[in-house]
Amino acid sequence: MSVRVRRVYDPPEPGDGVRVLVDRLWPRGLAKDAARVDEWPKGLTPSNELRRWYHAGEGSYEEFARRYEAELAEPEAAGLLDRVRELADAGPVTLLTAVKEPEHSHAAVLVRLLG
């Protein structure tokens, strides 16, 4: 299984495989055709409430990750996570995000859960 994270603003690479946008909101200033996104499972992203809570600086990354994992256990999100896992079992998958530090974001939680 090959899953990696890249910033959506970086140009696509031949080894990206299936490109999955894992942000709830479309990245600012990026044309949809330039992003070359194959899938955009919005239900797999952190809830608006959790996203706002974390960006407001009200809690630690560890607490954010714990709450996000609880959201991912809900049926809709769990099904979408299984879908991405199936894609990764079939070939490379690149999770795309606009965050500046993907290693401290929801994308890192997804990689860990998919791995």
Side-chain angles (χ1 to χ4, degrees), residues 37-58:
V37 169
D38 297 309
E39 301 214 7
W40 186 14
K42 293 179 189 176
L44 189 62
T45 64
S47 66
N48 286 327
E49 296 79 17
L50 181 58
R51 187 174 48 82
R52 288 180 186 127
W53 173 84
Y54 183 53
H55 292 299
E58 296 179 19

Side-chain angles (χ1 to χ4, degrees), residues 5 46 54 61 64-65 68 97 99 101-110:
V5 177
Y54 183 53
Y61 174 73
F64 166 79
Y68 182 41
T97 182
V99 300
E101 294 183 34
E103 62 277 359
H104 294 109
S105 75
H106 64 291
V109 174
L110 289 172

Side-chain angles (χ1 to χ4, degrees), residues 2 17 35 45 59 68-69 85 95 106 112:
S2 173
T45 64
Y68 182 41
E69 285 183 40
R85 189 174 288 114
L95 304 180
H106 64 291
R112 183 169 41 81

Side-chain angles (χ1 to χ4, degrees), residues 70-84:
E71 289 184 356
L72 290 171
E74 294 296 320
E76 179 188 1
L80 292 169
L81 190 62
D82 287 343
R83 165 77 177 136
V84 174

